[in-house]
Amino acid sequence: MKPIITDQQRQFRLKSAPEYSQASFAWIVSIALSLLLLLGGYRSETGDFSPVLLTLSGAYLVFALLQLAVWARIRLDLIRDGSIRGGTRVLGYGLMLSLLSGNVFIATAAFQLVRAKKNAAYTLAVYTLLTTLLVFAVSALNLYKPYVANSFLTGMALLLVAAVIQLGALLFLAKVADRSVLPRSTAIIAVILILTALTGNVFALLLGLLLIARLRDGGGSAGSKTGQVIDRLSRSSTSMLGLLFILFLFALSVTSYWTFDYSLAIENNYSAILQPPSLAYPLGTDNFGRDLFSRIVFGARISLIVGLLSTIIPVVIGGLLGALSGYYGRHTDNIIMRALDILYAIPGILLAIAIIAAFGASTVNLVIALSVGAIPTYARTMRANVMLVSTLEYVQAARAIGSSDWVILTKHVVPNSLAPMIVKSSLTIGTAVISTSSLSYLGLGVEPHIPEWGNILKLGSAYLETHAYTAIYPGIAIIALVLAFNFLGDGLRDAMDPKLD
Amino acid sequence: MNKKGKFAALLLISLTMVLSGCKVTTKNEAAEAPANTSNTANTQQTETADDGSLVDIELLGMSSGEADLNIIRDQLTKNGFNVKLNIQADYGSFKSQQDAGNFDIALSSWTTVTGNPDYAVRSLFKTGGDYSILADSEIDKLIDTASTQTPEQYVDTYKQFEQQLVFDKAYIVPLYNSLKAQALNQDVLKQESVRLSKSRSLVWEDIDFKDESKRATDSLVLQSTMPTLTSLDPIKGNDGSINMINTNMYVRLLNLTDDDKLTADGSLSYNFAIDGSNSEYYFVLRDDINFAQIKDKKAVDTRQRVGAEDVIFSLNRAKDKNSVPDHRTFTLHEHIKTVEAVTDLAALESAKLASGETVKTALEAGLENKITGLTADKTKADHKSGNYQVIKLTTTEPFPQVLNYLAHQSAGIVSKKQVESINTYDVAKFDVNKDIPYGDQNTVTEGAQYNNTLFASGPYILSYKNDYEAIFYKNPGYLKGTDHEPKIENIKIRFIKDADSALAALRSGEIHVYYGVTETKFDVVKGDSKLSLQTMPSNGVSYLLFNTKNRPVAESADLRKAVLYSINQDEILAYYNGNKIKAVSTVSPLVQTGLELKSDPAKAKEFLAAYKAAK
């Protein structure tokens, strides 16, 4: 007998299970990627397809179709029972194999699918392992080069050890994470995980800290606030993928000190000019015979550092000024804000260009130039938050018991005004990355031979018609990083929304 | 825990087995066995660390030469230098950095627009030359010796010069000789009518549309990068903004062929002759060129002929530093001693060529009517009755290459009457804000100051310009009825600064000819069926110039030679896909001396070590 449910009920059931939306996202993106790979593999001069890309495209298509089938089953389960059946969840283990083709979309959906009950620790453990595996796989591409960096083997071994430890942690957490009180041995695992974070894997660091926090919490029912944020964040696949991409790049930037050879990115090789993508040069070579793959990997370092620094500096300075002017008001407010208004009147990118023109092009100047222009917007955001929070009862209570201004500001006002700042900064890091690349593109950033995405794109743009890959790959890298920060910012905004508390 | 320990041990063992199974060549291993790798460059880098210290060197250049700078930086880095780049955005800031001495080596380039070797060395390397920072008496002596010699004789002198300049003293490091490249729209233009010459600028009067009926209705559209024109007075400028314009607005006594031979073809003279002493030069003038002027923005024939008095006036002001304020080209003409009109027929008969032939017979070669009379009055000259005007030019010393300078745009013939009536100011007290000299670009720019007073002796005349384009009209009194009569009525120069935009404009049909296609875009042009690419070796040479003051490179020849032998021209050629030519000095495109710079990392290391030891 078929139970009769209304359309509204059906919609509700589908929406209640995050696995459903994750599965649909995964198969749609996979099909799109499969088509993209197919298109990218087409060689117009010979009229056939590049075998490597064709195979990859096929693998993506196969997994996309499998995912589609699983999606359909999830849908059926949800409509019929309102929950996903165990048999459907088991299929997730099969889908994990998609990781072999580098398809993180299906893999993350699969890791979520196999668990009926999710929690922040499990999700983080999955992403920790995924990051290390991705970094390992990307670094392993260096094996096809004529030679590798001297510390390549050490670096790869360390990565492998980290991956094994993280896999162990994942299995362990899958078993125990749902318990309200974690076993004592978790502390050791947490410390080891934090050690593996030395490979640049911030997920591991977060996971370790989360576990320690939970242990110290002693099974308090509410769970830590960070845990809640991570919980909410992990429900949105787009923002987790954004975070994954950012932290993957970060980890790659750190491990590239061991696993990548800088000379391949910076020394000209006149016998390998403008080579199309191959195994030795996965993204081809540029007009000086430098490996684009290595250049983009090393470029991530500069883009990330400049992007992060030129966001953190204005957050700190602007936040401080905004907090002071919002808390003290009247003359303090007037003086600080009017001074910042003057700065605000100058367009940021013009100010940056002027600063670099005056002091010369270097990474430090670039960071300063991009930071100064962003101070006023952060000050305004912080000021508005502080003004709002200052009127709340707990602040007045603190005043009433005679706390000093400094204590009230640092203990009560600022911590409760930070959420919008974090969201805003995660959204503007993307802009900072674009600005860095734009300035380099204009020849105002770092020196032209230094691998920086804007520089790489600038060189490539001259070959857009004849050797398009020299411009497309750095372009994709910039787009992906900015998109990742935007996704993360969106997710953070939702996760930190005080209305959800 | 015990179980976990076993598991970990098992993993560790399998891990070491997997790792020992892989055979991976690390960078150091690759460097130890250079035979296994084609990339020899990397091996050099690890070897240079003889005493570990890198030598600092500052490289100055413009952002337009970024590719060259990167190659040089790379090659120097691989040979034990620590290169500091100083990249300036434009020529102005580059020049001011250079003048301030803020460099060890400067990426420089030179184009010999006159097509003679003396011009390629005199102002660059002679003590006190316009652009020279050298002071070496031996180099000076060789330059002076070569200038008085004939082409056969000077090959050896220039060889000695190159040996001194590059190999013995290493004042410059030659990089390459460029190709001249020009792309045109062959759907619109007759391909063979668009000439590409080694030294001479584009010849406008020859260019023709495929569809000849469009000559009167359509404009030929060319491109230039600079909307600010230095001056339309030919002697007041010698740069990219006006070279092509002034070459086509003023006729000269001589022209250069596409491969830099001297010819009277398409010039003001029917013929020319050199007397046996190599210091007297004769020209018999045409009488069928009139000056054109602009009235109501259209070109009209002034009915004033271009004659001997204009030639004498033009060349005398060209060589005289004080004839105009801000004279930019007098050094090119400093060898001219006198210019005069010959009125005595007997003088032509008594003057003899080196071959013994009289100057008169040499000048008459190919003339319809023999020279029966000479006149000083340009209105009386008439080739049909045998009444000609002849110019005699003498040089301060025997100097056959003077003829090349006469073919340069700065030797263009202006109207004596018109220029004298405009330039009424006192040169010594010239006031930029009050006095308006002949050829001032503001007088042809649309707006309140527009007052076109140009008198053009060449095939075209500039009517007006703005920041977007310049409009030219055909000179109605220029060689009418001859092969050299301008074919297209109206020419536009579109000012497009960016090279990529200019190429896009060519491909979209917005412009018809684009001069200066970069090597990296050759494939794009070749791939477009409506475009045709013309290339030929140019007289342009790129080189590195060493600072001669207050820097280690100024004192130490060893250091300079270490740089010299670090540079690998083969790699530069590889970068440009073979679209560059090896060079030894700025005379390389003009004189084949047989010398060649071969990169030698071992020598570079040796010289660098010698420099370090001396320090």
Side-chain angles (χ1 to χ4, degrees), chain B residues 294-588:
Chain B
I294 293 291
K295 279 200 173 135
D296 298 328
K297 293 200 169 175
K298 294 281 175 217
V300 292
D301 189 344
T302 57
R303 307 268 165 213
Q304 292 178 35
R305 190 177 282 178
V306 182
E309 60 179 77
D310 301 308
V311 173
I312 296 166
F313 172 73
S314 301
L315 295 183
N316 277 330
R317 70 196 288 268
K319 68 167 185 168
D320 176 12
K321 189 181 178 178
N322 300 315
S323 61
V324 285
D326 209 11
H327 196 317
R328 304 258 174 100
T329 56
F330 64 92
T331 48
L332 268 68
H333 303 289
E334 64 189 3
H335 284 95
I336 299 176
K337 193 165 142 203
T338 58
V339 188
E340 59 200 324
V342 185
T343 47
D344 182 9
L345 201 55
L348 291 187
E349 278 161 351
S350 61
K352 297 272 193 315
L353 270 62
S355 64
E357 198 184 355
T358 68
V359 167
K360 182 166 177 287
T361 39
L363 289 180
E364 279 171 344
L367 286 190
E368 244 176 84
N369 301 299
K370 301 285 175 215
I371 305 173
T372 53
L374 294 175
T375 172
D377 184 354
K378 65 181 178 182
T379 57
K380 300 236 170 72
D382 180 11
H383 67 279
K384 287 193 185 100
S385 63
N387 207 14
Y388 290 92
Q389 287 201 301
V390 168
I391 291 285
K392 178 185 169 191
L393 182 145
T394 54
T395 55
T396 50
E397 55 191 296
F399 185 56
Q401 294 181 38
V402 75
L403 293 176
N404 287 73
Y405 294 110
L406 294 180
H408 183 249
Q409 59 93 8
S410 61
I413 309 302
V414 293
S415 162
K416 176 172 195 267
K417 204 175 138 195
Q418 181 69 1
V419 172
E420 281 179 341
S421 74
I422 300 292
N423 287 356
T424 49
Y425 51 83
D426 183 352
V427 176
K429 291 180 193 148
F430 180 75
D431 179 2
V432 199
N433 302 314
K434 191 165 82 5
D435 299 321
I436 301 170
Y438 176 81
D440 187 331
Q441 71 136 353
N442 292 320
T443 62
V444 293
T445 308
E446 279 186 324
Q449 280 182 291
Y450 180 84
N451 177 26
N452 192 333
T453 55
L454 296 176
F455 262 45
S457 57
Y460 287 90
I461 180 163
L462 173 60
S463 169
Y464 63 93
K465 69 144 194 118
N466 47 42
D467 284 343
Y468 175 63
E469 60 186 6
I471 309 291
F472 293 80
Y473 290 103
K474 166 183 170 175
N475 176 353
Y478 185 80
L479 295 174
K480 240 183 163 160
T482 68
D483 289 347
H484 297 289
E485 183 182 344
K487 306 212 168 38
I488 295 173
E489 289 283 336
N490 159 12
I491 291 182
K492 271 184 199 169
I493 290 187
R494 199 54 56 85
F495 298 115
I496 306 173
K497 194 168 181 190
D498 180 59
D500 288 332
S501 313
L503 186 60
L506 178 73
R507 298 173 75 190
S508 68
E510 192 186 329
I511 60 174
H512 299 133
V513 183
Y514 171 39
Y515 171 74
V517 184
T518 50
E519 290 80 2
T520 52
K521 296 290 181 190
F522 283 5
D523 288 341
V524 176
V525 175
K526 283 178 192 158
D528 194 328
S529 62
K530 71 169 179 294
L531 301 185
S532 155
L533 181 70
Q534 302 173 324
T535 56
M536 74 183 307
S538 76
N539 289 336
V541 172
S542 284
Y543 61 95
L544 298 176
L545 181 68
F546 287 104
N547 198 344
T548 51
K549 279 193 190 81
N550 308 326
R551 292 279 176 137
V553 287
E555 270 85 55
S556 169
D558 284 332
L559 182 58
R560 294 198 300 263
K561 283 180 193 170
V563 174
L564 177 74
Y565 289 109
S566 301
I567 297 300
N568 185 338
Q569 293 192 354
D570 286 312
E571 291 183 344
I572 301 177
L573 261 58
Y575 171 76
Y576 286 106
N577 207 2
N579 290 315
K580 296 275 185 200
I581 303 156
K582 287 190 180 184
V584 180
S585 74
T586 46
V587 291
S588 292

Side-chain angles (χ1 to χ4, degrees), chain A residues 143 147-148 150 157 160 164 261 263 266-270 273 287-288 290 447-449 458 462-463 465, chain B residues 11 15 19 24-28 30 42 45 66-67 70-71 73-74 78 85 87 507 520-521 571 575:
Chain A
L143 283 172
Y147 59 87
V148 294
N150 291 328
L160 213 54
V164 170
D261 189 30
S263 65
I266 205 160
E267 279 180 15
N268 301 354
N269 179 357
Y270 303 94
I273 287 172
N287 53 342
F288 293 104
R290 298 173 296 201
E447 286 184 321
H449 62 279
K458 184 188 183 187
Y463 295 88
E465 265 182 80
Chain B
L11 261 174
L15 187 72
L19 285 181
V24 182
T25 321
T26 63
K27 191 180 173 188
N28 281 355
N42 288 304
Q45 203 221 6
E66 216 172 90
N70 184 37
I71 297 173
R73 177 201 60 76
D74 178 66
K78 285 170 181 168
L85 286 177
I87 303 179
R507 298 173 75 190
T520 52
K521 296 290 181 190
E571 291 183 344
Y575 171 76

